Amino acid sequence: MHEYLFSIFPNEKFIDLGLYQYGWERCAPAHQFGPAARTHYLFHYVISGTGLLMAQDKKGETRNYSIKSGQGFLLYPGQISTYIADETNPWEYTWLEFDGLRVKEALDIAGFSKDQPIYHATSKEYREIMMNEMLYIANHPNEPPFHLIGHSYLFLDALTRSTASTQMIKTGKMSDYYIKEAINFVEQNFPYDISIEDIAACCGINRSYLGKIFHDSIGKTPQEFLINYRMSKATELLKMTKLSIADIGNAVGYPNQLHFSRAFKNIYGVSPKNWRDQNH
């Protein structure tokens, strides 16, 4: 292996999970990157050595983290960070920059946040699988896009399976079952006028218990999950079709265009029209 590998993914048409850049580096002592902010998620896995991460938390305050081999760190879009290799035992790492409609859901399940950016694995087996998938992508930049996206899904699967803070495991088998049933119900019925009571009823539980297990499992209320799911589907339609804003709103469960635009802006910070203009 060379001391540095870097590639840019040539295709941005993947919606659920897309790659942007990826690589591997054996850093020189005290090698520094930043301060900088990415426009997508960026994950580093430390293969050997140690280093220091300085990254903003949710409040915008900078925190310092000492990171060693077998660990890693996740940076969020827009999060200002600096990372520096140790002077005597500089790190070697591999990284992926990625994004997509299903990414935040996976990272939430894995327990990441701006306040908890450090990767800790409880499963050595899945940690090794994750590292190998990252290295495969870094070392095979000329493979077809679908091939590399396939390995990106395997990376994300191993990442969530290997983390100590996987919330879905902690909540017990029955609550896992209810969560999966609720998510399936949302995926099949989001275009219609469904309520949280309808989602709870499909699982055979009451609304308050549904709210509790959603909060414990994925850190969102059922209402927040439903809205986020509808808005993610709206972005697919905005990017992949020429449907009007009103038609897209109606297709994701918002017959009132004003209500749709307001909900969309609450999630993405811009109107559906502006989002479409920025992503074409």
Side-chain angles (χ1 to χ4, degrees):
M1 250 196 256
H2 300 295
E3 296 300 302
Y4 185 78
L5 297 172
F6 172 78
S7 302
I8 297 174
F9 191 65
N11 192 315
E12 293 190 5
K13 294 182 179 178
F14 292 90
I15 301 296
D16 284 346
L17 173 61
L19 280 173
Y20 291 89
Q21 55 105 330
Y22 35 91
W24 164 91
E25 185 169 8
R26 183 177 287 118
C27 294
H31 172 75
Q32 175 175 328
F33 184 89
R38 300 284 184 173
T39 54
H40 309 286
Y41 296 96
L42 180 65
F43 180 75
H44 284 69
Y45 176 74
V46 180
I47 300 168
S48 64
T50 62
L52 175 70
L53 169 68
M54 296 177 283
Q56 288 180 330
D57 61 16
K58 289 179 180 177
K59 296 179 180 178
E61 298 172 356
T62 299
R63 294 191 193 180
N64 294 347
Y65 306 90
S66 181
I67 302 169
K68 61 184 180 179
S69 61
Q71 297 179 331
F73 58 93
L74 177 75
L75 301 175
Y76 280 70
Q79 183 182 18
I80 297 174
S81 67
T82 302
Y83 37 101
I84 309 169
D86 188 77
E87 290 187 0
T88 57
N89 186 22
W91 50 19
E92 169 197 356
Y93 52 50
T94 180
W95 75 86
L96 297 180
E97 184 176 354
F98 56 99
D99 214 328
L101 298 178
R102 304 305 294 267
V103 168
K104 189 175 186 306
E105 173 189 350
L107 297 177
D108 287 347
I109 290 172
F112 287 111
S113 70
K114 286 186 178 179
D115 289 344
Q116 294 179 315
I118 308 307
Y119 168 78
H120 301 278
T122 52
S123 168
K124 182 179 179 182
E125 175 189 0
Y126 281 111
R127 185 187 70 192
E128 292 292 316
I129 292 171
M130 182 197 73
M131 179 189 72
N132 289 335
E133 292 298 338
M134 296 179 73
L135 288 171
Y136 180 91
I137 292 168
N139 282 284
H140 295 82
N142 296 320
E143 292 291 341
F146 278 107
H147 183 84
L148 292 176
I149 291 296
H151 282 277
S152 301
Y153 274 104
L154 293 173
F155 149 74
L156 201 60
D157 175 66
L159 174 68
T160 56
R161 288 177 183 240
S162 66
T163 47
S165 52
T166 300
Q167 297 299 311
M168 296 292 279
I169 294 173
K170 293 182 179 179
T171 56
K173 291 183 179 179
M174 282 309 295
S175 58
D176 276 4
Y177 170 78
Y178 293 141
I179 289 288
K180 289 175 183 175
E181 287 294 297
I183 290 174
N184 287 339
F185 182 83
V186 169
E187 289 176 341
Q188 294 170 19
N189 295 281
F190 73 91
Y192 310 117
D193 182 21
I194 58 173
S195 66
I196 304 307
E197 285 80 6
D198 294 330
I199 301 173
C202 91
C203 301
I205 57 179
N206 63 45
R207 175 177 177 149
S208 62
Y209 182 62
L210 179 70
K212 180 184 183 304
I213 62 174
F214 254 80
H215 180 269
D216 292 345
S217 297
I218 58 178
K220 288 186 176 74
T221 68
Q223 184 70 20
E224 288 170 339
F225 179 83
L226 174 60
I227 293 171
N228 276 273
Y229 189 84
R230 283 171 162 164
M231 294 305 111
S232 72
K233 290 299 179 183
T235 61
E236 288 185 29
L237 294 172
L238 287 165
K239 190 165 187 175
M240 306 299 289
T241 76
K242 295 183 179 180
L243 290 171
S244 69
I245 303 301
D247 286 343
I248 290 173
N250 196 53
V252 298
Y254 286 85
N256 184 306
Q257 183 178 337
L258 180 62
H259 292 168
F260 167 60
S261 295
R262 186 179 297 135
F264 189 95
K265 190 170 184 178
N266 283 340
I267 299 295
Y268 294 104
V270 294
S271 69
K273 181 181 183 305
N274 287 342
W275 191 95
R276 173 179 266 171
D277 292 341
Q278 293 169 9
N279 288 273
H280 271 84

